């Protein structure tokens, strides 16, 4: 099969979120905080949370053992048999401590999830805001496992459930039963940690459907790179190693990768995308603000603040700093 892989680098995005990495491990949970642009004249579509009632018997639960959930708004007209699934993002947890903290947030427990959310962007039902998908069945799957929907295990002592893969399966089963099995086209999308999940699960998604269903995937800001930081360390890899090990991710990673590389490497899209058979669209900024701030120049890697000015404003970078960024960009797959 031919892999259709489209890379689109949006150059020049450079805003930095201002998160202070040095303060706590839970910084990762800030990822995917969304900026909502109010749509002016028209009213916002508000969609209630549905908990997956059958999930508990399958052990498909959030970090704290509560039911996972999703928001569904039905398609209509020519989109009635088309589905777009959006996997929510929001960082990862890589230690007992950060996962225990996460249980007290919407990223680890449905107790804390919004009971309804606004559907905007790719989930909007307005043709002018979302011309391609406005009348499709649109779903946002909530993220409450902390390992990009890919973990399997538990920690008795701290009452932590690592059930990302089961949540993924339970959500897909429920949506299939709600009509997705009749889809003539389906798109699996995701942002950030959810964008990584959409890469990890792309072929599994495709395999849910008949051969005749047109299936594609979209990863938005999910191309996390195995980068060397300014101090020569591997901040993101170290964190991913914790996620993969603690949450039992290895068994759910593609064997095409794990037969060749260590499991942590197989949590990086650069080692996965060439084996994905389903058409996939990768959307990522070359200077992804989160990766600049958290992976390339994390505060701990710049104790003297030599990179601070350059990190916040590119016009303050000197020639060797620019070179560092260029080198990183060019090492993208
Ligand atoms: C959702 O929409 C409502 C009604 O338009 C608005 O009041 C609210 O601020 C929105 N919430 C978010 C998180 O954007
Ligand atoms: C650029 O700035 C960094 C950090 O302050 C410094 O180590 C490096 O020597 C500078 N390079 C040049 C070419 O000025």
């Amino acid at each position: 099969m031919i892999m259709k892989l489209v890379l689109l680098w949006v150059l020049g995005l450079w805003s930095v979120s201002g998160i202070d990495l040095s303060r706590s491990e839970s910084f990762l949970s800030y990822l995917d905080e969304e900026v909502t642009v109010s749509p002016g004249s028209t009213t916002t579509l508000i969609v209630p949370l549905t908990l997956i009632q059958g999930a508990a018997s399958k052990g498909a639960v959030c970090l704290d053992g509560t039911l996972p959930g999703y928001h569904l708004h039905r398609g209509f007209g020519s989109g009635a048999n088309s589905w777009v699934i959006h996997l929510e993002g929001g960082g990862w947890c890589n230690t007992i401590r950060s996962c225990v903290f996460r249980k007290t947030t919407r990223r680890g427990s449905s107790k804390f999830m919004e009971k309804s959310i606004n559907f905007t962007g790719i989930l909007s039902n307005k043709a002018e805001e979302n011309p391609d998908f406005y009348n499709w069945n649109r779903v946002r799957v909530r993220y409450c496992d902390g390992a990009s929907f890919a973990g399997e295990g538990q920690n008795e002592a701290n009452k932590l459930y690592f059930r990302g893969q089961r949540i993924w399966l339970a959500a897909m089963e429920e949506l299939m039963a709600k009509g997705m099995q009749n889809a003539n086209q389906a798109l699996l999308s995701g942002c950030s940690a959810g964008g990584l999940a959409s890469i990890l699960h792309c072929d599994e998604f495709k395999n849910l459907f008949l051969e005749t269903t047109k299936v594609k995937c979209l990863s938005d800001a999910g191309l996390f790179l195995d980068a060397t930081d300014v101090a020569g360390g591997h901040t993101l890899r170290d964190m991913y190693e914790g996620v993969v090990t603690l949450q039992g991710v290895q068994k759910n990673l593609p064997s095409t990768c794990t037969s060749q590389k260590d499991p942590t490497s197989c949590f990086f899209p650069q080692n996965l995308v060439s084996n994905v058979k389903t058409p996939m669209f990768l959307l990522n900024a070359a200077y992804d603000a989160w990766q600049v701030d958290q992976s390339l120049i994390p505060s701990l890697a710049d104790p003297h603040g030599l990179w601070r000015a350059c990190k916040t404003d590119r016009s303050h970078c000197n020639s060797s700093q620019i070179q560092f960024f260029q080198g990183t960009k060019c090492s993208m797959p």
Side-chain angles (χ1 to χ4, degrees):
M1 284 185 100
I2 301 162
M3 182 192 54
K4 290 183 204 147
L5 180 64
V6 185
L7 300 177
L8 174 62
W9 306 124
V10 184
L11 296 170
L13 282 184
W14 195 265
S15 66
V16 167
S17 51
I19 295 162
D20 181 3
L21 165 63
S22 59
R23 270 184 302 143
S24 80
E25 303 165 297
S26 63
F27 72 95
L28 290 160
S29 65
Y30 289 97
L31 217 110
D32 192 45
E33 294 292 342
E34 280 157 43
V35 181
T36 310
V37 182
S38 61
S41 56
T42 44
T43 54
T44 316
L45 171 62
I46 297 169
V47 181
L49 174 67
T50 302
L51 295 177
I52 305 172
Q53 297 299 338
S57 66
K58 299 171 187 157
V61 292
C62 297
L63 280 174
D64 71 336
T66 55
L67 292 175
Y70 63 90
H71 306 252
L72 162 65
H73 191 248
R74 292 283 180 179
F76 52 93
S78 61
N81 276 321
S82 299
W83 289 71
V84 55
I85 308 299
H86 184 85
L87 301 177
E88 188 178 57
W92 305 268
C93 66
N94 59 326
T95 60
I96 293 287
R97 195 182 135 201
S98 62
C99 290
V100 165
F101 170 76
R102 209 172 169 91
K103 286 202 286 184
T104 66
T105 75
R106 67 200 155 116
R107 302 291 191 222
S109 168
S110 51
K111 268 193 300 196
F112 300 101
M113 287 178 191
E114 303 86 339
K115 295 301 169 261
S116 59
I117 55 168
N118 297 344
F119 267 23
T120 57
I122 201 173
L123 297 177
S124 165
N125 63 339
K126 294 171 194 65
E128 63 275 19
E129 186 181 341
N130 187 22
D132 295 307
F133 309 106
Y134 74 98
N135 64 354
W136 290 32
N137 295 277
R138 283 150 290 113
V139 183
R140 183 175 174 114
V141 182
R142 300 305 295 261
Y143 178 41
C144 65
D145 62 277
S148 287
F149 295 88
E152 172 55 47
Q154 69 189 87
N155 178 286
E156 302 279 356
N158 296 283
K159 296 205 162 40
L160 281 169
Y161 298 89
F162 303 125
R163 299 293 172 74
Q165 183 74 22
R166 297 194 207 201
I167 293 171
W168 155 257
L169 289 172
M172 290 306 110
E173 257 176 57
E174 169 125 337
L175 294 169
M176 288 307 260
K178 289 202 164 179
M180 193 167 73
Q181 61 185 343
N182 302 316
N184 47 38
Q185 50 183 351
L187 175 70
L188 177 65
S189 82
C191 185
S192 193
L196 171 57
S198 72
I199 295 171
L200 288 169
H201 293 298
C202 184
D203 285 342
E204 290 169 58
F205 184 65
K206 160 83 182 164
N207 291 336
L208 296 173
F209 299 94
L210 298 171
E211 270 299 313
T212 50
T213 308
K214 194 164 146 191
V215 181
K216 298 186 180 181
C217 304
L218 162 65
S219 172
D220 180 1
L223 199 55
F224 295 96
L225 296 179
D226 189 2
T228 306
D229 64 37
V230 291
H234 295 89
T235 305
L236 190 55
R237 164 170 282 269
D238 294 345
M239 196 269 288
Y240 271 11
E241 185 162 9
V243 176
V244 169
T245 308
L246 178 68
Q247 297 221 32
V249 171
Q250 175 167 4
K251 64 178 75 67
N252 297 316
L253 295 169
S255 56
T256 46
C257 181
T258 50
S259 61
Q260 309 282 324
K261 290 181 174 355
D262 65 279
T264 301
S265 294
C266 297
F267 204 54
F268 281 98
Q270 68 206 66
N271 301 317
L272 299 171
V273 289
S274 63
N275 285 314
V276 176
K277 297 192 192 75
T278 309
M280 188 164 58
F281 187 86
L282 302 176
L283 174 65
N284 216 98
Y287 301 106
D288 179 295
W290 186 89
Q291 292 194 61
V292 168
D293 194 49
Q294 306 284 348
S295 174
L296 296 178
I297 320 177
S299 306
L300 291 174
D302 182 32
H304 306 298
L306 299 177
W307 285 80
R308 208 169 292 148
C310 162
K311 181 166 140 176
T312 348
D313 182 347
R314 170 169 45 159
S315 69
H316 294 148
C317 303
N318 68 26
S319 57
S320 45
Q321 288 170 327
I322 294 281
Q323 215 169 9
F324 171 79
F325 281 118
Q326 295 291 340
T328 300
K329 188 181 72 184
C330 295
S331 71
M332 279 189 178

